Amino acid sequence: MFYIIMIQIKELEYNLEKLEKLTTSRDSIQGLKIYKDALTKLKQIKRIDDFHEILNQVLKALSGIEAHGFFTDEEYAYVTKIRKIKRRD
């Protein structure tokens, strides 16, 4: 179980890093705070529940951005990958 969570943490970290870079490259601040905060928190995880809390916060933020903001097609591909992490949980 712990091994699976470690893989999910790395997947979330990778996808958030990609979103951060893509968002920055188009000179947008949309989502940057949540991406950076989540990346910092991922490095401090001590319990499986911590991971679930971070993932849920990220998913809520991504839904808000999707509803009221904008993702490029490339960004949206990473959003979709993050959503798949939740479904496997």
Side-chain angles (χ1 to χ4, degrees), residues 44-74:
Q44 302 167 353
I45 286 179
K46 296 196 183 339
R47 303 173 302 126
I48 291 172
D49 289 341
D50 295 340
F51 169 72
H52 293 293
E53 185 178 321
I54 294 165
L55 181 57
N56 285 331
Q57 289 172 351
V58 167
L59 289 169
K60 277 185 184 179
L62 294 176
S63 291
I65 294 168
E66 186 175 15
H68 304 287
F70 170 77
F71 288 118
T72 64
D73 290 343
E74 192 174 4

Side-chain angles (χ1 to χ4, degrees), residues 2-22:
F2 184 73
Y3 180 72
I4 293 169
I5 293 297
M6 290 304 297
I7 291 171
Q8 290 177 323
I9 290 169
K10 289 297 177 192
E11 279 185 271
L12 181 57
E13 188 175 53
Y14 174 81
N15 288 303
L16 287 171
E17 287 171 348
K18 290 294 190 178
L19 281 172
E20 181 182 19
K21 286 179 184 173
L22 290 168

